[in-house]
Amino acid sequence: MRVAKDFDREDGFSTEQIRRSRNDRERRKDIRHKERHSPKVFETTSRDLITARILRTEGAYLIAETAPDEMIRCRTIKSTVSGNPTASLVAVGDTVLIDKSESDIAVIREVLPRKTKLSRRAHTRRDQFEQVIAANIDYVGIVQSAFEPPFRTGIIDRYIVAALEGELRPIIILNKSDLLAKDERAEFIAEALIYYKSIGYEHYLTSTTTNEGINDLKDVLHDKTIVFAGKSGVGKSSLLNTLCGEEIAKTQVLMKKGLRGMHTTTTVAMLPLPDHSGYVVDTPGIKEFFHFDLEPDQIRFRFVEFQKFQEQCKMTNCLHIHEPGCAVSEAVDNDIIPEWRYNSYLAFWEEAERERKARIGGI
């Protein structure tokens, strides 16, 4: 039996040829990815390589700091090796080994393994690829507004989970605190912050108008690196101006304007605090935040207050969803765990379950 030949397209290629070409491109991508994460021996010796930290991007290049106030422009090449499989090749905050011997633009020979990270899943890709927003940092500063845009516990919980996944310490920053009295939900906001503190997450009330809390925040950030995360409009730029100084923040704003229309990660930048007493990583307002490789049965361990009730559940592997005899659900009914916090958990679980089914082809 003969198989009908594909109809030729106007460009002269058959659909079968196009399919094979696409498959070849995918195979070449896989090969390049494996090569990046395989041990290699460089022609240059280790003493020829300079250790640096990535501060920001400038178009196709990266700006790295080799020493305080000493920066160099560099780039990756096909043979750049990464110690971070299935993740962004280079991110702000990465420690890299660069080679200055070949040209005016230094070459990144190796990206060292990340100690900590704030990351998310690149949801535009079909594979499980980790998009790293910032690496080798200490804190995630979850910035919320006391008035407008509205205070959202769901966003706070989402970033807390991301921080814990990346081995970071989350802190909550309630900015525009001088406007808190204007919010009809002021009492709820105060109660939510008290609850977060009771389960181990500190909060700071800040105002760039009155300077409330700014000195306290500076003390926390001494010799540390923090990444600011939150929706647009919560006042991150104002905090940057106050913490880093007007000129540094203005430079960052101009850089963002020049990169308008590019991918969001290109606008992430690490800014030094005065006298290099620490660093602040500025991120754009992230509209969507899909956690990387989020497994449904692991989310319960990222809600720390659940742990003391876990052993009281009648089912050993209770997911705290609809199981009979669930001690966590009982704690919610008795107002020990706030309902809004439990609802965040349910939303996480449902999202992770959808992702799990999609990965195994269940939907």
Side-chain angles (χ1 to χ4, degrees):
M1 179 177 178
R2 291 186 177 182
V3 179
K5 184 180 179 181
D6 290 332
F7 290 104
D8 288 337
R9 293 156 43 107
E10 292 182 0
D11 55 16
F13 295 100
S14 69
T15 54
E16 176 64 17
Q17 286 175 315
I18 293 173
R19 186 187 67 79
R20 289 179 179 176
S21 177
R22 287 174 179 169
N23 289 341
D24 287 342
R25 286 199 300 271
E26 290 298 321
R27 281 195 293 269
R28 287 196 295 269
K29 284 182 181 179
D30 290 340
I31 291 171
R32 287 198 299 269
H33 181 77
K34 290 177 182 178
E35 288 177 346
R36 287 186 188 277
H37 298 93
S38 300
K40 290 191 177 183
V41 178
F42 302 121
E43 294 180 1
T44 53
T45 62
S46 59
R47 64 173 177 269
D48 294 326
L49 301 179
I50 301 171
T51 302
R53 190 180 193 185
I54 301 297
L55 296 186
R56 65 178 188 271
T57 58
E58 281 188 357
Y61 300 104
L62 300 119
I63 303 301
E65 184 179 55
T66 56
D69 295 322
E70 293 183 10
M71 290 179 284
I72 189 171
R73 179 175 291 184
C74 53
R75 62 186 177 89
T76 60
I77 57 177
K78 288 184 178 180
S79 60
T80 298
V81 177
S82 172
N84 308 284
T86 67
S88 305
L89 178 58
V90 185
V92 166
D94 271 334
T95 302
V96 298
L97 301 180
I98 59 176
D99 181 4
K100 295 174 60 179
S101 63
E102 294 186 359
S103 64
D104 294 335
I105 304 296
V107 171
I108 298 177
R109 293 292 184 184
E110 184 174 0
V111 182
L112 299 184
R114 295 163 182 138
K115 297 177 180 178
T116 62
K117 60 192 175 183
L118 177 65
S119 65
R120 64 179 180 178
R121 180 174 63 83
H123 64 280
T124 56
R125 292 181 56 138
R126 287 176 294 179
D127 58 343
Q128 286 295 300
F129 184 80
E130 184 179 18
Q131 179 187 353
V132 179
I133 299 169
N136 301 319
I137 49 184
D138 302 293
Y139 295 104
V140 174
I142 307 168
V143 185
Q144 287 279 288
S145 172
F147 185 47
E148 292 180 352
F151 181 86
R152 305 273 182 169
T153 55
I155 294 175
I156 293 175
D157 294 333
R158 186 169 285 270
Y159 276 113
I160 286 176
V161 172
L164 297 178
E165 285 292 311
E167 300 185 16
L168 299 166
R169 181 177 174 181
I171 60 175
I172 302 167
I173 301 171
L174 186 69
N175 201 25
K176 307 180 185 180
S177 60
D178 54 306
L179 302 177
L180 181 58
K182 294 184 178 182
D183 197 317
E184 60 183 14
R185 299 168 67 238
E187 184 177 349
F188 168 75
I189 293 173
E191 290 175 354
L193 292 176
I194 291 172
Y195 180 76
Y196 280 121
K197 186 174 182 178
S198 73
I199 58 176
Y201 306 127
E202 294 291 338
H203 67 267
Y204 296 86
L205 303 183
T206 60
S207 170
T208 56
T209 302
T210 65
N211 280 331
E212 178 187 3
I214 298 300
N215 288 333
D216 292 337
L217 194 55
K218 286 181 178 179
D219 290 341
V220 172
L221 301 183
H222 185 72
D223 290 335
K224 301 292 184 180
T225 300
I226 186 171
V227 54
F228 281 163
K231 294 284 188 177
S232 297
V234 295
K236 291 185 297 173
S237 295
S238 298
L239 278 175
L240 281 171
N241 288 342
T242 305
L243 291 171
C244 301
E246 294 284 347
E247 293 304 318
I248 293 177
K250 284 179 182 177
T251 300
Q252 169 68 350
V253 170
L254 289 174
M255 187 185 70
K256 284 185 179 182
K257 288 182 179 179
L259 294 172
R260 185 177 297 156
M262 297 181 68
H263 198 279
T264 53
T265 54
T266 61
T267 62
V268 178
M270 181 176 289
L271 308 175
L273 293 172
D275 301 321
H276 288 273
S277 58
Y279 292 89
V280 175
V281 180
D282 182 29
T283 63
I286 299 173
K287 295 180 180 179
E288 296 179 315
F289 197 91
F290 297 84
H291 284 283
F292 172 72
D293 201 19
L294 196 63
E295 293 294 338
D297 62 348
Q298 296 300 310
I299 301 172
R300 54 187 165 151
F301 300 114
R302 295 309 182 190
F303 282 70
V304 294
E305 67 269 43
F306 288 10
Q307 300 310 304
K308 63 181 178 181
F309 299 102
Q310 180 75 42
E311 295 181 358
Q312 302 172 26
C313 293
K314 290 185 177 180
M315 297 185 65
T316 304
N317 295 319
C318 184
L319 295 176
H320 320 308
I321 305 296
H322 47 64
E323 296 86 348
C326 175
V328 171
S329 298
E330 186 177 340
V332 176
D333 293 338
N334 294 329
D335 295 326
I336 300 173
I337 297 175
E339 187 174 359
W340 54 263
R341 175 76 170 163
Y342 181 66
N343 287 339
S344 286
Y345 169 73
L346 293 180
F348 271 115
W349 187 90
E350 290 173 359
E351 177 184 326
E353 182 65 9
R354 287 195 301 270
E355 292 296 322
R356 184 189 68 81
K357 288 181 178 179
R359 285 198 297 271
I360 63 175
I363 57 174

